[in-house]
Amino acid sequence: MSTKAVSPTAPRAGAREWAGLAVLALPTLLISLDQSVLFLALPHLAEALEPTGTQTLWMMDIYGFMIAGFLITMGTLGDRVGRRRLLMIGAVCVGLTSLLAAYSTSAEALIAARALLGVSAATLMPSTLALISNMFHDPQERGRAIAVWASCFMAGTALGPVIGGVLLEHFWWGSVFLLGVPIMVILLIAAPILLPEYRDPDAGKVDLLSVALSLGAILPVVYGLKEFAKYGWDPVALGAVVVGTAVGWAFVVRQRGLAAPLLDLRLFRNASFSFALVVLLVSMVAMGGFYLFITGYFQMVEGLSPMEAGLWMVPSALASIVSAQIAPTLAKRLPLGVVIGLGLGIGAVGYVLIAFVGPAGGLPLLVSGFIVVFFGSGPAGALGTNLVVSSAPPEKGGSAAALSSISGDLGVALGIAALGSIGSAVYRGQVEVPEGLSAEAARATGDSLESTIAASQQLSPELGAQALAAARDAYTSGMNTVAVVCAVVAAATAVIAVTALRRVGAAQRDDSGESAKSPSVPVS
């Protein structure tokens, strides 16, 4: 009860803080917009740039990999140079790199542009979360603000396909990347007016060797796992994982010896902090990877237009927004781990439903299952993020926000890589290439549904229909397999949440949040 006596002293947020939250929602929306619109643009990219199957995966996941690689650096940098300042610098960079992606003329150029866009976007996420922890001192208001922040990802997921669908109906594929330009212009105008500046005056210099080590640890491991899933045991992939693991060990050793480390490992001594990160990461592995198959099924199996596919995905995103807003209220009455675990358990049921979707007439079951999956995901995003941010002292707000973001972004990137590779492997094992195809067409049919659609345009109507039917059957089999994997992952994560966070209640969250109530040094 002693914690409750302290809570009334926390200042309440005013109109400026809530208006500032709306500004902070803009980059959050953009991150999810960039990811979701690219899913819809994939068939158009395949026709225009003719990427290989491997290049297609890199187009999808290099963005998330680079965000994950640079989040720790950007979180620490924001604590040093100012969180609002870094947010605005990132907005400029995102706008410029969005233009580069929009006008790419080859698969290689788009991959490079997406990589630069990922580095730029990494400046946005830690700054937004850290500023929320500084602006909202009251634990309940902060929890509600973070729930709104988490809901913006879902709103972007809902709006991205619709806006992207409209653009793809009327313009070329590059137009989907131009969404970031006006959003960043609005942010640059509003941020100086509505957002305060915060920085840690006692923070040391950024250790460049630690930056290099963090990248050298994350990227090789992810690459190696991706190649393992795609091709099996391969010496190059194994070497990448070994190298990345060794560099990661060197990174940890260096952080322990630095007076001002890039990542303060003492944060992980808080068990709730650590388990919340695990829950965020693992749950997003399933969500991020499976989203790829949903959009592909809508367009390439059901034959829906981008606009129609976007509209079919709106209900699931709205369901997630609703559950994210309900979660803080439920957490006042139930242990936080129970609320998160119940949500993930509901999501596992949704994946099981999708595992029974067929290549013909499966749209109603697919949409129903995806609504259930997204509804179950809301509590983990809202409550898990709040627990991570509230557990850190104010001077470590940027690092805590970076770790929260990196867990989700890396989970999405790993999900796309691992589950996408599993689905591709099932596709290649299940597809029955029709007889009579040319060597090039047979190779395309055996590679992916995307390449089959492109190759079928050069075939006779009969052979083209046979190739497409075989490819759609194999694609659906891959999606069903991935759905089963996601159901197992969601159920296991639910068990982790319930057991590891079962004693985290409202009072304990207030305790952990007290240290985060005090802002860092304001700069006028």
Side-chain angles (χ1 to χ4, degrees):
M1 298 298 294
S2 61
T3 57
K4 304 228 179 242
V6 181
S7 296
T9 64
R12 307 285 290 183
R16 184 187 180 192
E17 283 75 21
W18 290 107
L21 177 62
V23 174
L24 294 176
L26 293 175
T28 309
L29 283 168
L30 179 61
I31 297 298
S32 54
L33 279 171
D34 274 347
Q35 198 70 273
S36 60
V37 297
L38 187 59
F39 285 125
L40 284 177
L42 191 58
H44 302 265
L45 289 172
E47 292 184 16
L49 302 182
E50 299 182 351
T52 64
T54 300
Q55 286 176 329
T56 299
L57 283 176
W58 276 114
M59 286 179 186
M60 302 300 297
D61 56 37
I62 189 63
Y63 176 73
F65 290 166
M66 298 308 288
I67 289 179
F70 280 93
L71 271 173
I72 294 176
T73 300
M74 297 305 177
T76 303
L77 186 62
D79 291 339
R80 287 159 170 76
V81 305
R83 294 164 185 172
R84 186 183 67 184
R85 179 181 297 178
L86 182 64
L87 183 67
M88 297 181 67
I89 292 173
V92 173
C93 294
V94 166
L96 294 176
T97 52
S98 295
L99 290 172
L100 288 177
Y103 292 99
S104 298
T105 56
S106 66
E108 294 82 0
L110 181 57
I111 292 171
R114 289 277 291 171
L116 293 174
L117 184 58
V119 176
S120 302
T123 64
L124 305 180
M125 302 315 296
S127 298
T128 57
L129 261 181
L131 283 170
I132 287 176
S133 69
N134 293 136
M135 293 162 58
F136 295 90
H137 302 181
D138 179 77
Q140 292 187 3
E141 287 188 335
R142 186 174 58 251
R144 181 63 62 189
I146 290 179
V148 171
W149 178 90
S151 296
C152 289
F153 280 106
M154 317 309 169
T157 304
L159 294 174
V162 176
I163 297 174
V166 172
L167 292 174
L168 291 170
E169 288 278 343
H170 298 92
F171 304 101
W172 93 114
W173 61 265
S175 62
V176 299
F177 294 107
L178 298 181
L179 286 171
V181 178
I183 291 177
M184 292 299 99
V185 170
I186 295 172
L187 175 61
L188 288 171
I189 294 173
I193 301 172
L194 296 174
L195 299 181
E197 179 63 286
Y198 292 95
R199 67 165 178 257
D200 179 8
D202 298 322
K205 296 181 179 179
V206 174
D207 182 51
L208 295 181
L209 179 56
S210 293
V211 174
L213 289 174
S214 66
L215 288 173
I218 293 173
L219 297 182
V221 169
V222 173
Y223 170 79
L225 293 175
K226 176 174 176 285
E227 295 301 299
F228 277 140
K230 192 173 181 66
Y231 301 113
W233 290 96
D234 177 78
V236 175
L238 178 61
V241 172
V242 171
V243 169
T245 303
V247 174
W249 175 82
F251 174 80
V252 171
V253 171
R254 182 163 182 81
Q255 301 317 294
R256 289 175 175 172
L258 291 175
L262 188 68
L263 175 61
D264 191 345
L265 301 179
R266 292 174 297 179
L267 291 171
F268 292 96
R269 294 177 182 174
N270 185 316
S272 296
F273 176 91
S274 299
F275 279 114
L277 287 176
V278 171
V279 169
L280 287 173
L281 187 148
V282 179
S283 62
M284 290 309 298
V285 167
M287 287 289 296
F290 200 76
Y291 200 88
L292 173 66
F293 289 91
I294 292 291
T295 55
Y297 186 95
F298 282 149
Q299 293 187 88
M300 297 184 291
V301 177
E302 288 290 339
L304 301 179
S305 68
M307 181 63 181
E308 291 171 329
L311 289 174
W312 276 109
M313 286 186 283
V314 168
S316 58
L318 294 178
S320 185
I321 293 173
V322 170
S323 65
Q325 295 303 311
I326 294 174
T329 301
L330 290 177
K332 294 179 183 178
R333 297 169 174 82
L334 297 172
L336 184 143
V338 171
V339 179
I340 294 176
L342 285 174
L344 293 172
I346 291 172
V349 173
Y351 286 122
V352 171
L353 293 176
I354 296 173
F356 293 95
V357 171
L363 186 60
L365 182 59
L366 178 65
V367 172
S368 300
F370 208 43
I371 290 174
V372 175
V373 168
F374 261 56
F375 183 83
S377 70
L383 300 179
T385 302
N386 185 29
L387 181 58
V388 170
V389 174
S390 298
S391 298
E395 65 273 12
K396 301 298 181 184
S399 295
L403 287 171
S404 175
S405 296
I406 197 174
S407 63
D409 292 331
L410 184 58
V412 170
L414 287 172
I416 293 173
L419 298 179
S421 297
I422 290 173
S424 296
V426 173
Y427 175 95
R428 287 206 248 334
Q430 294 287 331
V431 67
E432 297 180 1
V433 180
E435 296 182 0
L437 297 181
S438 65
E440 182 178 356
R443 187 165 48 252
T445 303
D447 183 56
S448 67
L449 177 55
E450 294 93 331
S451 60
T452 303
I453 292 174
S456 66
Q457 298 177 359
Q458 310 300 323
L459 301 174
S460 66
E462 182 179 356
L463 281 177
Q466 292 177 9
L468 287 174
R472 286 167 177 157
D473 287 345
Y475 183 90
T476 305
S477 296
M479 185 183 72
N480 297 150
T481 301
V482 170
V484 173
V485 173
C486 289
V488 174
V489 170
T493 310
V495 173
I496 294 173
V498 172
T499 55
L501 303 175
R502 65 184 182 278
R503 295 181 180 176
V504 180
Q508 287 168 301
R509 287 194 305 281
D510 285 358
D511 274 337
S512 65
E514 290 301 322
S515 62
K517 290 174 186 174
S518 302
S520 298
V521 174
V523 178
S524 57

